[in-house]
Amino acid sequence: FTVPRTTGMLQFLYLFVTYNFCTTICYTAINLPYGSLSSMMIRESSERDKLSVLRMGLSPIGKIVAATCTLPLVKLLGNDQAAWIKVMSVWAVLEEKVQIEARKKDEKLPIPTMLKALFANQYFWAVMLLWTVQSVSFTITGTILPYYCKYIFNNDTWMYSALFLTETLVLVVGIFICSPLIKKFGKRNIAFVGGFVALGGQILFFLNPYSFGFMVMSCVTRAIGLAPLNAVVFSMVGDVVEFGQWKNHIRQESLIFAGGSIGTKVGPILIAAVIIVTLFGYKLDKMYPAIMQELTEREAHGQL
């Protein structure tokens, strides 16, 4: 938010360095110890489920405050770069600071041994994919929503705040409701059903993308569907730690949570990989001239 007024290339370099420093280094240094604490604090999966529900149910409160108040505050303070700096300074001052002393390991294993055990843990890959999809989904919708409100509804202030607040509140309520459902039906089952509900919410949006009412219904339905996965994903990561210990006789809280975190950061890479794989099999460019020549000859003879 303090990009200097200089050439475009220097601004790009400044943005590239500061953004990645913030999101890849600082955020990771905070989030990995914070995430891996659940598997160290509690060994019972059912108790860890409750901890995961509380974590994911209460964490959106900060998002609600920031998302609902940021744009109005920026406009109130002048709607320029100085206003953004002032508002972000307020959020930085209010952010909680926590220091965590990592658990000391009695035995240090070689990195190849640890990575081999990690890669052999099949449920690590499953949960990493779920964590990645969850993060990419929130990133995409959170990034697009203010611009959608601005250019489709011509209102990027109260409409955006209302939609974001509504979806987040429904998500929070849904996460807490999941607590008894987890005990009765299991983590996998409620997240599985929730995926279909979230898909229905997204399809609902496509039925009338220019209607604010349909957008509200879409956000509410999507939040209901995503609530189960949000409620259980970090508890599932803790279960993966126990599974890895059972299978390989190696307990890897930090490495498993770090691996899952990497998954959330390589989401765009996965999308790019899909593009590359798809285009690798796309041979139409080479075939097109011959196809057109044959079509011309067939049409000249009255054939399709």
Side-chain angles (χ1 to χ4, degrees), residues 32 124 131 253-263:
L32 288 186
F124 161 74
W131 194 355
E253 293 102 338
S254 300
L255 196 57
I256 286 176
F257 274 89
S261 177
I262 290 173

Side-chain angles (χ1 to χ4, degrees), residues 87-280:
V87 174
M88 289 305 116
S89 299
V90 172
W91 297 148
V93 169
L94 293 178
E95 180 184 355
E96 181 183 6
K97 300 293 189 296
V98 180
Q99 294 182 352
I100 302 171
E101 183 179 356
R103 187 185 69 175
K104 295 181 180 180
K105 301 290 184 180
D106 295 329
E107 180 184 2
K108 290 186 177 180
L109 297 174
I111 292 179
T113 303
M114 296 174 65
L115 291 177
K116 182 180 178 180
L118 179 69
F119 295 156
N121 188 332
Q122 64 267 36
Y123 291 109
F124 161 74
W125 296 104
V127 173
M128 185 185 74
L129 183 59
L130 290 173
W131 194 355
T132 300
V133 170
Q134 177 209 33
S135 300
V136 171
S137 172
F138 280 116
T139 300
I140 292 175
T141 54
T143 302
I144 291 176
L145 188 58
Y147 295 100
Y148 193 89
C149 291
K150 180 177 182 179
Y151 295 108
I152 301 299
F153 299 135
N154 297 315
N155 188 312
D156 63 342
T157 307
W158 75 264
M159 279 191 173
Y160 164 68
S161 297
L163 287 171
F164 184 87
L165 183 62
T166 299
E167 184 168 4
T168 306
L169 286 175
V170 173
L171 182 69
V172 170
V173 173
I175 288 173
F176 282 112
I177 291 176
C178 285
S179 187
L181 298 179
I182 295 171
K183 187 176 181 180
K184 184 173 182 179
F185 299 107
K187 292 189 279 285
R188 179 264 184 193
N189 292 335
I190 66 168
F192 185 72
V193 173
F196 286 99
V197 177
L199 178 62
Q202 200 61 45
I203 293 174
L204 185 65
F205 160 73
F206 287 114
L207 295 178
N208 194 346
Y210 297 99
S211 167
F212 182 74
F214 266 79
M215 178 66 86
V216 173
M217 290 189 293
S218 174
C219 288
V220 169
T221 308
R222 185 172 59 204
I224 293 172
L226 291 176
L229 179 60
N230 277 267
V232 304
V233 66
F234 290 105
S235 177
M236 293 172 79
V237 177
D239 293 347
V240 170
V241 173
E242 311 287 357
F243 175 80
Q245 180 182 356
W246 170 79
K247 180 178 181 179
N248 302 305
H249 301 275
I250 298 175
R251 190 169 178 86
Q252 299 179 291
E253 293 102 338
S254 300
L255 196 57
I256 286 176
F257 274 89
S261 177
I262 290 173
T264 66
K265 294 175 175 60
V266 300
I269 296 177
L270 293 178
I271 295 173
V274 171
I275 294 173
I276 292 171
V277 171
T278 303
L279 291 177
F280 183 78

